[in-house]
Amino acid sequence: MMRSIVVVAVTFWVSLASALPAFAQFGSRTQNSRFKESVFRNLDRVFKPKLVVSRGASGPVNAMGVSADEHYLVTAVGDKTIRIWDLWLGREIARLSGGAAAVSHVAMVPGQNRFLTIGGDSSLVVWDVANLANPLKLGAALVPASDVVFLNDGATVAVGGVDGSVTLWSIPERRILANWTAHGVGNVRLAISSAGGQLTSAGADGAVRTWDAVGGKLIVEKQFETAVTALAVHESGSVAVGGADGSVTVLDRNQANPRRVEMHEGAVTALSFAPSGEHLISGGQDGGIFMLRDGKATRMGKHDKAVTGVQSGQGEAFSLSVSADGTTRLWNLKTGAEMLLMISTTQGWAVVDAKGRYDGNEAALSGIDWQAEDAVANIEDFAETHYQAALLPRTLKGEGDLAEARTIVDGVAYPPTVSLVPNVTAPVDGKVTVEVTAEDNSGGGVSEIRLYRNGKLVSAGKAQSRDGGQQRRVERYELDVGNGKTVITATALNKDRLESRPQTVTVSGGSPDKPGRIHLLTVGVNAYQDKSLNLFYAKPDAVAIDGFFDQSRQVVAPMARRLALLDEQATQHGIVQAIRSLRDAPHEDLIVIYLAGHGVSVEDRWFFISHDANLSDTPPQGLLSSDEMKAEIEALNADRVLLLIDTCHSGTLVDPIKDYRGMKSLRLLARTVGTHVIAATDRTQSAIELQRLGHGIFTYALLAGLAGKADHLLDGAVSATELVRYVEESVPALAREYADDEQYPTGFSRGMDFAISNSSKN
């Protein structure tokens, strides 16, 4: 079972390398013997961490709502925001301001993708997922709200107050229809029965009452000895009542034949019937999640803090819970096990399963760590074995194609320790020799050393020498570093592909580096040999990108060369040769590669479909794989590389709904090689082309960002990371506005950030 997540307010800077014993250089038999003895003594040492949000914790999840088709999940988060998750895509798609105070309640409009929120200032607001920019403001509740439910017509909402009142609001008329005192002073809990549209309320006075939802006429009531703190009603009329004493009582539609079960230590805080009524999910002040079936309560797991909401899925295979501990959790109702942890941070979102496999955006993942008593590893240190694109929908659909991975909380081998030593503190003739040593300290072995210059991977083939084996490895490189400051970083991976924390040194020359130049390669394919693949905007988009760098005064450096491959020029061989022609670019230069055309994923590999593709061949021909692209970009000498991919699915090679898998290969390309990658399509979307814009939506946003809109820091320059952020944020809004469709680009960044354009003309 997944360990509980811990939300802390400090950043942990302890590196794995510094937390483990350091070893001196080994040159003699005695030293080697001591090393082997040390390894032997530590073979039983394993990294047994727990997951920690070390940076960017957004506070408690106060409430949630799930759309009837289980497409959208809405959560109200303690940082005064509302988060919308697309469960089919498996990601957070929007972050809205909830107002001056944190939102306390969420309710979905029945049968619609609209929802109502109640803020801490008592404001009632109705949102439409398709038009989030224009919410409908109803007004303010008469008193602070304690609960909210929609009546069956979806046009009327009932709000419970802390004074024991119930208020009915008309959404179309934006006015109060009725208000009455339903209970004594205290929080009122509400539930609606779809059979007959009756409203049931419960209060701190221990009373449970069913009302005529239109006129407020009392129909039936039941008195309990303890305050009622949670309530649920099934469409059959069965009523579940949670008490302040931790008990749950289930009654029939006439509130008779009570069946009482002791469940929680402390008050019951949330209840949800399965659609069939065969089981009931309960959450409590103690953080516990229980399933009640046939009168027997089974504890499924526990949040670290109080549960604030539960929801059983329509297919009755899973349920969701939210908590004051800042997490949303997905539970398997068949096994009772925790399936997934969903995390919203101030910068983004992440999903983690019981084995530690994960998905998420880079901004959030950078602040999530696996922490043990003696070491810390960022979640992305497990990227090669545990990153899984679209982890959430794949889990919900029960797909069996998730990569097998070790369960991190059970223990994994520590990564190697890494030391990095330059032979001089200042370069000689613009060069420096660097020796990297990786040593195994726990039986995990040493499988690979990676050396980065200014964030860009130095090809392993450039190592001057390589010594050692699986327990200790030494590699030496001679690097061209120029005369300015150069940041050199090294990491190492163990046999389980766990990457160590980076070790970094800075080499400073006597004078600043000479300014770099820009090398641009644009590829655009409208016309394919297979005419069924033809597109409209790929070629014009490529021409527009080329034109920006050629004609705009906003580029940050002189152009060294511009290479353009359009239509029949954009063969697989032609693209590879064009990238190889950039290998002579010096390290201080910037390389921008733009690809527009068809793209597709097969299993975990992504492919660009070249002009000469033949998809009917076995295997298909004319496909440029992400593996090939990774190798070619790794061989580039320039430290600064930006890869822009504006592709849509061919619809021929593979079912588009499976096309999320290639995102893994693109992510690992960026992470391993040290580049910035922005991909136009994300999992199930096809890149949207619009005549109104004259471009694909992705390239339209890209051009706007380069022209200055991406300058978030307002420092006069657009950097690679700013461009990634701008495109990720603007494309979804453009897709909704211009195409009434969905498109969510994905950005991956690793390595040195750098300016690409100026935000205003000089």
Side-chain angles (χ1 to χ4, degrees):
M1 173 136 342
M2 172 73 71
R3 293 280 187 91
S4 298
I5 192 167
V6 180
V7 180
V8 294
V10 298
T11 301
F12 295 91
W13 292 104
V14 182
S15 73
L16 287 173
S18 63
L20 299 173
F23 290 93
Q25 300 295 317
F26 292 88
S28 68
R29 289 184 180 179
T30 301
Q31 288 172 319
N32 282 326
S33 174
R34 289 175 181 171
F35 173 75
K36 291 177 181 178
E37 290 174 3
S38 177
V39 170
F40 180 79
R41 288 196 305 269
N42 288 284
L43 284 179
D44 60 342
R45 294 186 69 247
V46 292
F47 184 48
K48 289 187 174 182
K50 59 185 176 182
L51 201 63
V52 175
V53 179
S54 57
R55 184 173 64 256
S58 56
V61 183
N62 298 321
M64 74 167 174
V66 182
S67 62
D69 59 1
E70 295 177 347
H71 189 169
Y72 299 106
L73 165 69
V74 180
T75 59
V77 183
D79 63 355
K80 302 177 185 178
T81 62
I82 303 159
R83 309 298 181 96
I84 302 177
W85 289 76
D86 188 319
L87 299 178
W88 296 0
L89 295 178
R91 61 176 294 162
E92 191 179 275
I93 62 169
R95 183 190 318 171
L96 310 170
S97 173
V103 169
S104 57
H105 297 86
V106 174
M108 304 300 298
V109 179
Q112 301 179 33
N113 290 327
R114 296 196 302 156
F115 60 95
L116 178 140
T117 61
I118 301 181
D121 57 359
S122 296
S123 59
L124 278 69
V125 181
V126 178
W127 308 79
D128 189 334
V129 174
N131 186 19
L132 294 171
N134 297 295
L136 175 66
K137 298 180 180 180
L138 298 184
L142 300 177
V143 296
S146 57
D147 207 354
V148 57
V149 295
F150 273 94
L151 274 61
N152 294 335
D153 61 1
T156 308
V157 66
V159 179
V162 297
D163 63 349
S165 66
V166 173
T167 304
L168 300 184
W169 287 77
S170 168
I171 292 179
E173 300 175 21
R174 286 192 280 183
R175 68 181 183 89
I176 294 175
L177 299 175
N179 173 261
W180 69 91
T181 299
H183 298 273
V185 175
N187 292 336
V188 172
R189 305 300 178 190
L190 299 173
I192 192 74
S193 169
S194 60
Q198 296 176 343
L199 179 68
T200 300
S201 67
D205 56 7
V208 177
R209 298 186 171 107
T210 299
W211 310 85
D212 180 297
V214 177
K217 179 181 178 182
L218 182 64
I219 298 174
V220 64
E221 65 178 318
K222 177 77 173 180
Q223 185 68 41
F224 288 82
E225 295 181 357
T226 184
V228 179
T229 53
L231 182 67
V233 175
H234 187 255
E235 62 180 12
S236 65
S238 296
V239 179
V241 178
D245 60 357
S247 67
V248 174
T249 303
V250 180
L251 310 109
D252 63 24
R253 65 179 303 148
N254 297 314
Q255 297 193 14
N257 303 315
R259 291 167 290 164
R260 186 175 185 273
V261 181
E262 299 289 342
M263 296 178 72
H264 295 275
E265 296 179 3
V268 181
T269 54
L271 292 168
S272 175
F273 274 109
S276 67
E278 292 183 0
H279 61 259
L280 177 76
I281 305 301
S282 171
Q285 186 70 34
D286 57 0
I289 299 292
F290 284 82
M291 178 170 58
L292 181 64
R293 188 195 300 266
D294 298 327
K296 180 181 179 182
T298 302
R299 179 178 170 179
M300 295 193 294
K302 186 178 183 298
H303 283 269
D304 289 340
K305 294 183 179 179
V307 175
T308 53
V310 294
Q311 177 74 53
S312 182
Q314 295 297 315
E316 304 193 19
F318 70 90
S319 67
L320 285 162
S321 62
V322 294
S323 167
D325 68 5
T327 69
T328 301
R329 302 187 187 222
L330 185 71
W331 306 88
N332 187 322
L333 295 182
K334 295 181 180 178
T335 65
E338 182 178 325
M339 299 166 67
L340 286 177
L341 191 68
M342 301 164 62
I343 306 167
S344 293
T345 74
T346 55
Q347 298 300 315
W349 62 277
V351 179
V352 188
D353 75 2
K355 286 183 174 292
R357 291 175 295 207
Y358 70 92
D359 189 12
N361 73 333
E362 206 160 333
L365 295 173
S366 65
I368 299 175
D369 294 333
W370 286 103
Q371 178 191 348
E373 291 183 359
D374 60 349
V376 173
N378 181 255
I379 194 170
E380 288 259 67
D381 293 340
F382 295 85
E384 295 199 20
T385 54
H386 285 71
Y387 170 70
Q388 292 287 301
L391 177 61
L392 174 55
R394 292 165 80 175
T395 301
L396 287 174
K397 292 177 181 178
E399 293 190 14
D401 65 345
L402 292 174
E404 189 54 44
R406 291 192 178 190
T407 302
I408 294 175
V409 294
D410 290 344
V412 295
Y414 284 98
T417 58
V418 178
S419 62
L420 174 63
V421 181
N423 66 327
V424 292
T425 56
V428 178
D429 296 328
K431 297 183 182 297
V432 64
T433 300
V434 177
E435 182 175 275
V436 185
T437 303
E439 299 172 339
D440 173 26
N441 190 46
S442 64
V446 180
S447 66
E448 183 182 349
I449 287 175
R450 292 175 180 169
L451 183 69
Y452 297 85
R453 179 185 57 200
N454 291 327
K456 169 68 166 52
L457 182 69
V458 178
S459 174
K462 295 183 179 180
Q464 287 186 320
S465 63
R466 184 176 288 111
D467 305 318
Q470 295 183 351
Q471 293 181 338
R472 180 176 184 270
R473 183 178 298 187
V474 180
E475 294 183 0
R476 300 172 186 85
Y477 294 79
E478 184 179 76
L479 301 180
D480 181 1
V481 296
N483 294 316
K485 287 187 178 181
T486 300
V487 178
I488 303 172
T489 304
T491 67
L493 287 80
N494 67 12
K495 63 184 180 183
D496 295 325
R497 308 303 292 172
L498 172 58
E499 189 172 7
S500 70
R501 295 278 74 204
Q503 297 298 298
T504 299
V505 297
T506 301
V507 177
S508 299
S511 60
D513 264 334
K514 62 181 180 181
R517 298 183 300 167
I518 298 176
H519 306 256
L520 175 68
L521 169 60
T522 54
V523 178
V525 188
N526 270 1
Y528 286 85
Q529 283 186 358
D530 181 351
K531 292 182 173 53
S532 67
L533 299 176
N534 285 355
L535 295 169
F536 293 101
Y537 290 111
K539 180 178 177 180
D541 284 349
V543 170
I545 294 293
D546 179 83
F548 177 86
F549 282 89
D550 178 40
Q551 301 171 15
S552 174
R553 297 179 181 178
Q554 294 179 248
V555 294
V556 295
M559 295 299 300
R561 64 186 126 182
R562 293 169 27 247
L563 305 174
L565 302 179
L566 304 175
D567 288 341
E568 66 274 2
Q569 299 170 318
T571 63
Q572 179 186 11
H573 177 75
I575 297 170
V576 170
Q577 291 304 310
I579 298 175
R580 289 179 179 176
S581 73
L582 302 175
R583 290 183 180 180
D584 62 353
H587 79 91
E588 66 269 12
D589 283 8
L590 164 63
I591 293 176
V592 179
I593 300 173
Y594 172 89
L595 303 176
H598 280 299
V600 73
S601 297
V602 179
E603 296 181 348
D604 282 336
R605 301 175 70 196
W606 179 84
F607 296 85
F608 181 75
I609 300 179
S610 307
H611 164 79
D612 55 339
N614 188 337
L615 304 183
S616 61
D617 280 358
T618 304
Q621 301 299 309
L623 305 182
L624 179 63
S625 74
S626 52
D627 293 339
E628 291 176 276
M629 194 170 300
K630 175 178 176 294
E632 296 301 332
I633 294 177
E634 180 179 336
L636 298 175
N637 186 53
D639 291 342
R640 298 175 294 167
V641 179
L642 175 63
L643 177 59
L644 308 170
I645 302 172
D646 190 356
T647 60
C648 59
H649 308 306
S650 70
T652 303
L653 191 63
V654 69
D655 182 353
I657 201 168
K658 300 293 186 183
D659 212 40
Y660 48 70
R661 298 174 181 168
M663 294 298 106
K664 179 171 184 176
S665 62
L666 293 177
R667 188 185 202 110
L668 292 181
L669 186 157
R671 178 173 177 78
T672 304
V673 180
T675 62
H676 301 266
V677 178
I678 314 177
T681 57
D682 182 296
R683 295 153 193 162
T684 61
Q685 282 74 39
S686 295
I688 299 172
E689 298 180 333
L690 287 180
Q691 186 175 4
R692 291 174 62 190
L693 299 179
H695 294 289
I697 282 180
F698 173 82
T699 299
Y700 180 85
L702 194 61
L703 290 167
L706 288 169
K709 288 189 176 181
D711 183 13
H712 293 283
L713 296 178
L714 301 178
D715 59 359
V718 174
S719 72
T721 56
E722 285 180 317
L723 189 62
V724 170
R725 175 182 171 184
Y726 175 79
V727 172
E728 284 187 320
E729 291 178 349
S730 62
V731 166
L734 288 168
R736 285 191 292 265
E737 178 181 356
Y738 288 98
D740 192 24
D741 204 344
E742 295 179 334
Q743 183 175 342
Y744 301 100
T746 301
F748 309 118
S749 294
R750 184 171 179 174
M752 177 181 66
D753 195 15
F754 49 82
I756 306 166
S757 62
N758 297 312
S759 59
S760 60
K761 293 183 180 180
N762 295 324

